[in-house]
Amino acid sequence: MRHSQHRRGQGVAGAALKRVVLGAGACLGIVLGGFGPSGLTVPAAHAFCSDGRVMGGCVTSIETFPWQVSLFRTGGSNRVQAHFCGGTVVAPGWVLTAAHCVEEFVPTDPSPMAVFFGSTSLEEGGQVVDVQTIYTHPDYLGVGADDIALLELRTPISAPTVALVSAENADRFEERGTEAVIAGWGNAPGALVLSGTVGGKGPERAEETVEVFGTSPVLLAAEVPLVRAARCDERGNDEVLCAGFRREQVDACAGDSGGPLLIRDGDQFIQAGIVSGGTLCVDEGDRFTTYTRVSAYEDWIAATLAGETEPVDPRRLPDFSLPATFADTDLIAGFQPDPQRIDLQAGGNLRASDALSGCAGFVADAPDVRITYEAGDIGMLRFAVEGDADTTLLINQPDGSWHCNDDRADGDLNPELVFEGPLGGQYDIWVGTFESPDALGAFPEATLLVTERR
């Protein structure tokens, strides 16, 4: 999850919420207990089953939730694998989703993503439309912190639109204990049967059933009650809703972010929330999920649909104009001792991929180390990291270009970058961690090595 720009510490959202994002690769567990193949009988609207096949929910139909859409990456081999978040159609050319789902994309050029709509199954039917512009709330900071975005589609679509809870009728629909409905194609558990030879000899074979999680190829839905917001947010933030159970295995899961939290309004549904973040749905324990409270953003939604807001870029780039945190030193070609060794703490709250697409891991906002290098006849300058954690290395070299490495070629989890015929000038260096600081719970110790040796 992303947080505000706090150096070497949790951001505001992480410190208060202690939640994990559920999109772009996070857990509707609608943890329902299993996949439902496309051929299963589709239940009537509101008849959410609990028959042991799918715990606390069931396979549903796009006819029940006709405004539901899938956000997917256009470079994937198929839509099931490429799906990363959900959303809802709120106007013919607009989709409502969570900001954390789309924060990695350039707001004015979101071509690596598209919207799929009009089908219960991700594998067949339906239609695809491109996204023209992403409008992220300007105050977005992470889960439970203005986690809302609107996608302007390249062309209007024919899917019905969902009604939204307004500030005027919020008290009617947001009362604690109200049964809400969640729907999406997010991760759900399935069974994988593994076969092997007993003891490694003879014809006898054994089978083991392993539970695995993966994107549901069909739309799932389940009911969850609204609970006190403090169960999800200890600050009592009035811009979030909280729903879920203490022990029931029903929850939103990875890939459900951006999807709706719906309340029944007679024989219709009205959207009260947007899936933002929650506990890891594969784990035991409480299953409460944080939802962005739609009614709190009525004015911003209306202004954006009316063309009165500007797209903002939520990506937070590492800033080489800031002072280096651990070392700022000058080196001349042929320096001694070689290697130079600089101890530091790895990691930060920014995604390295925001600086360079495909770069794995999390880095700090300011450089960890700055090296001003006076080039000479030396043909190579190498930067490497030593440490017990899985680290990543991001460098902005003197010509302004970004370079990144996650693992060395020999399989070592420590990274290195080699510059042949190195440029003279300023090298700004970030040592990141593959996992986020929230997942690690700390900023691990590491050592940066700078050497002219091969």
Side-chain angles (χ1 to χ4, degrees):
M1 72 168 64
R2 319 291 204 285
H3 308 303
S4 58
Q5 302 273 355
H6 287 260
R7 178 66 180 174
R8 301 303 179 200
Q10 285 191 324
V12 173
L17 290 170
K18 299 176 183 174
R19 316 295 283 170
V20 294
V21 295
L22 298 183
C27 223
L28 231 325
I30 284 183
V31 177
L32 296 186
F35 289 142
S38 304
L40 291 178
T41 301
V42 175
H46 311 176
F48 297 108
C49 53
S50 181
D51 60 3
R53 172 178 52 83
V54 181
M55 293 184 292
C58 56
V59 179
T60 187
S61 166
I62 198 66
E63 283 71 29
T64 302
F65 307 102
W67 49 78
Q68 190 99 15
V69 305
S70 161
L71 310 185
F72 72 96
R73 302 180 192 279
T74 55
S77 58
N78 60 68
R79 277 194 295 270
V80 174
Q81 293 184 358
H83 168 87
F84 64 90
C85 269
T88 51
V89 182
V90 294
W94 295 85
V95 164
L96 183 67
T97 189
H100 78 258
C101 285
V102 294
E103 64 182 346
E104 69 181 80
F105 300 99
V106 179
T108 54
D109 182 23
S111 54
M113 65 171 291
V115 170
F116 176 73
F117 68 98
S119 177
T120 300
S121 171
L122 295 178
E123 298 176 305
E124 58 188 8
Q127 299 177 61
V128 172
V129 63
D130 292 330
V131 178
Q132 178 169 300
T133 308
I134 298 172
Y135 292 83
T136 300
H137 194 280
D139 297 327
Y140 163 66
L141 288 176
V143 172
D146 304 295
D147 191 7
I148 184 171
L150 280 161
L151 311 181
E152 183 181 12
L153 305 180
R154 193 165 295 281
T155 57
I157 60 178
S158 58
T161 59
V162 65
L164 303 179
V165 173
S166 66
E168 182 179 357
N169 62 17
D171 290 344
R172 174 185 166 199
F173 292 106
E174 297 173 359
E175 185 178 358
R176 191 188 312 168
T178 298
E179 287 294 329
V181 173
I182 48 178
W185 291 275
N187 281 8
L192 176 66
V193 178
L194 304 176
S195 298
T197 302
V198 175
K201 60 181 180 180
E204 300 86 359
R205 300 189 65 79
E207 290 188 345
E208 178 184 5
T209 301
V210 178
E211 187 175 73
V212 295
F213 273 69
T215 300
S216 172
V218 292
L219 188 62
L220 304 177
E223 287 188 334
V224 290
L226 297 184
V227 299
R228 290 185 301 110
R231 290 194 180 276
C232 292
D233 182 306
E234 61 194 32
R235 300 167 300 176
N237 185 352
D238 63 4
E239 294 175 344
V240 303
L241 295 172
C242 185
F245 298 94
R246 291 195 62 86
R247 292 292 181 267
E248 296 289 335
Q249 292 187 350
V250 182
D251 196 10
C253 201
D256 292 315
S257 279
L261 178 76
L262 302 158
I263 309 294
R264 293 191 182 94
D265 183 18
D267 60 354
Q268 304 293 322
F269 285 108
I270 187 167
Q271 184 173 351
I274 303 166
V275 180
S276 182
T279 52
L280 287 172
C281 52
V282 298
D283 294 340
E284 297 297 326
D286 294 353
R287 297 181 185 276
F288 297 114
T289 291
T290 303
Y291 299 85
T292 302
R293 184 172 172 243
V294 171
S295 63
Y297 298 90
E298 181 178 10
D299 292 344
W300 178 80
I301 292 172
T304 302
L305 295 182
E308 298 171 358
T309 63
E310 295 293 329
V312 295
D313 194 339
R315 295 175 302 159
R316 301 185 181 100
L317 301 179
D319 188 351
F320 49 74
S321 70
L322 296 174
T325 301
F326 297 101
D328 186 341
T329 188
D330 297 336
L331 293 177
I332 301 173
F335 58 80
Q336 293 293 326
D338 184 354
Q340 296 278 312
R341 302 176 66 90
I342 302 168
D343 294 330
L344 51 82
Q345 287 180 297
N349 291 312
L350 308 188
R351 283 190 178 272
S353 59
D354 286 349
L356 184 63
S357 178
C359 185
F362 296 82
V363 297
D365 46 357
D368 295 305
V369 176
R370 176 169 292 134
I371 301 291
T372 302
Y373 182 67
E374 184 177 325
D377 295 334
I378 303 298
M380 184 270 294
L381 186 63
R382 181 165 66 93
F383 299 86
V385 178
E386 290 181 349
D388 295 331
D390 186 356
T391 52
T392 189
L393 184 59
L394 176 68
I395 297 179
N396 186 273
Q397 70 165 346
D399 63 1
S401 61
W402 291 96
H403 301 265
C404 179
N405 181 254
D406 177 20
D407 301 329
R408 294 174 185 162
D410 59 4
D412 190 335
L413 294 181
N414 288 311
E416 72 173 5
L417 283 169
V418 178
F419 297 96
E420 301 287 350
L423 300 173
Q426 181 175 304
Y427 290 78
D428 291 294
I429 303 148
W430 287 260
V431 178
T433 53
F434 182 79
E435 294 186 276
S436 71
D438 292 319
L440 291 172
F443 296 97
E445 304 290 336
T447 300
L448 175 71
L449 279 66
V450 186
T451 179
E452 295 172 323
R453 299 174 182 173
R454 300 207 175 261

